[in-house]
Amino acid sequence: MRAIRREGFNQKLFHLPKTLTSPVIPTSNLIRVPPPAYSTSSPNNVPSKRVGTHSGSFHCDEALACFIIRLTTKFHNSEIVRAREPKVLEGLDAVVDVGGIYDPGRDRFDHHQKGFEEVFGHGFHTKLSSAGLVYKHFGKEIIAKELRLCVDHPNVHRLFLAIYKNFMEAIDAIDNGINQFDTDKPPRYVNNTDLSSSVGRLNLDWMDPDRSPEKENEAFQRAMTLAGSEFLESIRFHAKSWLPARSIVMECIAERYDVDPSGEIMVLKRFAPWKLHIFELEEEMKVEPPIKYILYEDDRGKRWRVQAVAVSPDRFDSRKPLPARWRGLTDNELSKEAGIPGCIFVHSSGFTGGNHTYEGALTMARTALKDVNKILGDGF
């Protein structure tokens, strides 16, 4: 039999050499995915190679692994071949999520075989999926291209770790069935909005009357596009927003004692998404005692906000919420209760409040720090 191909496509869309248009290894499961046009900075006119993954239903990890590997110089714009037959896989240039082999020297990236326990390293302990394996070996190259820096530049390494932590690790964990929390209690709510769930829904529906290999091929292309676009957005967000914000927060942490002798109040001289960084930087900079309040100017109203730092990145509880007697009050009533002019509001949960001036917001933070310490002691 001939390899299954989508009828009506021009042969050039498959980027196949002429020798591959003749009959290949007989199989009824071999599916070719024509390479879509993704934007990369890899050289043009690189000889086409073939990257294999399994046919049948797909998951986020192999869709993303195929996308990522095609961003590299070595496998730029490669053809994706979806098959399960060992003889077919042996003849491919790279294989992900199938084949039972992890051998980066041969570009084999499967994680299903017995005894596989590979992790990302750098303090991460989650077992890798095919996406994590490909990212581990090629992620720095792709990030360096995006930043236009040498692969050994410190910022490339910094983003390499951050993108794994904030994007890739969850895909590895979900694919390997690793729970996010160590608890026997059922979750408080269902979350099917993660990327792995979204990619899973692109599989052909069991009631779809047309479940042909061609339709499955099209669905996998959509999965690659969805997973890949999220991956690229993550890289670009971390490069253009996360990294500059990190530098700002680091500088402000270093200057916190200029704000208050306690060292527990930090002022953002320029607003930046500080929540992404403060916990990592506190650990890295050995900040003690931990910062309790962040002050920053609200650009929309030219007013000042005081915000309590959360217990951890994944918790809503504050280390030291603003005083209970202030919560839910506004304007004059709040100013009178707090004994601080210019108060605007304090949220009912005590996680944030506002004042018309910097001096007023700083006084709120200092007063709250003493008030909370008086009630709860120095712990949280």
Side-chain angles (χ1 to χ4, degrees):
M1 294 178 63
R2 301 179 72 88
I4 297 173
R5 295 187 311 220
R6 295 175 59 191
E7 295 298 324
F9 272 78
N10 186 292
Q11 179 182 314
K12 292 183 179 180
L13 290 179
F14 289 87
H15 291 247
L16 296 177
K18 290 182 179 180
T19 54
L20 294 181
T21 61
S22 58
V24 294
I25 299 171
T27 172
S28 59
N29 294 324
L30 181 61
I31 303 172
R32 299 191 186 282
V33 178
Y38 295 118
S39 175
T40 73
S41 56
S42 299
N44 294 323
N45 302 319
V46 175
S48 179
K49 293 188 177 182
R50 296 184 298 162
V51 174
T53 191
H54 61 81
S55 55
S57 61
F58 51 80
H59 300 95
C60 185
D61 72 311
E62 73 264 24
L64 182 57
C66 288
F67 185 95
I68 292 175
I69 203 168
R70 296 179 75 254
L71 297 178
T72 66
T73 299
K74 185 175 183 179
F75 294 103
H76 171 64
N77 217 28
S78 293
E79 176 197 4
I80 303 300
V81 177
R82 304 184 70 229
R84 294 181 182 271
E85 290 72 20
K87 289 185 178 180
V88 175
L89 299 176
E90 286 172 8
L92 302 177
D93 299 289
V95 177
V96 303
D97 207 48
V98 68
I101 300 172
Y102 169 51
D103 184 352
R106 296 169 52 203
D107 295 308
R108 263 51 185 170
F109 303 102
D110 196 13
H111 66 112
H112 296 100
Q113 57 273 26
K114 183 177 180 180
F116 179 88
E117 295 293 339
E118 187 76 8
V119 298
F120 187 68
H122 308 286
F124 296 95
H125 304 289
T126 300
K127 182 179 175 181
L128 297 178
S129 68
S130 63
L133 285 172
V134 172
Y135 181 78
K136 179 175 182 175
H137 292 283
F138 296 105
K140 280 190 176 181
E141 175 193 340
I142 295 165
I143 292 168
K145 290 177 183 177
E146 181 66 25
L147 296 183
R148 298 182 181 180
L149 295 173
C150 296
V151 73
D152 58 353
H153 192 282
N155 282 347
V156 172
H157 182 72
R158 189 168 287 125
L159 261 64
F160 180 60
L161 300 183
I163 292 167
Y164 184 77
K165 177 180 180 179
N166 297 310
F167 184 84
M168 296 295 306
E169 187 175 21
I171 294 169
D172 287 339
I174 291 171
D175 192 76
N176 284 304
I178 300 171
N179 290 328
Q180 189 173 11
F181 302 103
D182 292 327
T183 177
D184 294 329
K185 295 181 179 180
R188 293 180 182 271
Y189 52 85
V190 174
N191 180 14
N192 288 323
T193 61
D194 59 271
L195 180 58
S196 295
S197 298
S198 298
V199 168
R201 284 192 292 271
L202 293 177
N203 277 285
L204 299 182
D205 189 272
W206 67 279
M207 295 187 68
D208 193 330
D210 184 357
R211 295 176 54 80
S212 63
E214 291 83 1
K215 283 291 185 181
E216 187 179 88
N217 180 10
E218 293 172 0
F220 186 73
Q221 286 189 55
R222 290 195 294 272
M224 285 178 59
T225 300
L226 174 59
S229 63
E230 291 289 325
F231 174 71
L232 292 178
E233 283 299 319
S234 182
I235 291 180
R236 288 159 187 167
F237 165 77
H238 280 84
K240 297 177 182 178
S241 177
W242 184 92
L243 197 58
R246 188 180 192 277
S247 298
I248 291 171
V249 175
M250 181 183 289
E251 181 180 346
C252 293
I253 289 176
E255 296 175 352
R256 68 192 185 283
Y257 283 103
D258 296 337
V259 176
D260 188 80
S262 70
E264 296 178 81
I265 302 172
M266 186 186 91
V267 175
L268 283 174
K269 296 181 178 179
R270 175 185 175 188
F271 181 78
W274 56 271
K275 296 177 188 178
L276 299 171
H277 303 284
I278 191 164
F279 300 99
E280 273 189 7
L281 288 173
E282 280 184 330
E283 183 177 352
E284 183 179 313
M285 299 170 71
K286 296 178 171 56
V287 171
E288 188 62 40
I291 295 167
K292 307 304 188 299
Y293 300 109
I294 308 294
L295 271 60
Y296 59 91
E297 188 174 18
D298 186 344
D299 289 338
R300 291 171 295 181
K302 298 300 179 184
R303 301 167 180 176
W304 280 84
R305 296 283 292 270
V306 51
Q307 186 158 338
V309 179
V311 172
S312 63
D314 56 353
R315 295 282 298 277
F316 293 108
D317 315 65
S318 300
R319 288 174 172 175
K320 293 188 182 295
L322 295 173
R325 66 181 187 277
W326 295 359
R327 299 175 199 172
L329 301 181
T330 60
D331 303 323
N332 292 335
E333 185 180 8
L334 175 58
S335 294
K336 182 178 179 180
E337 176 64 39
I340 302 169
C343 291
I344 300 172
F345 80 102
V346 169
H347 192 273
S348 59
S349 68
F351 88 98
T352 189
N355 196 286
H356 285 286
T357 67
Y358 164 74
E359 292 77 12
L362 179 58
T363 303
M364 289 177 71
R366 286 173 171 169
T367 303
L369 191 64
K370 295 176 182 177
D371 185 274
V372 174
N373 281 341
K374 186 187 303 180
I375 297 172
L376 299 180
D378 198 39
F380 46 84

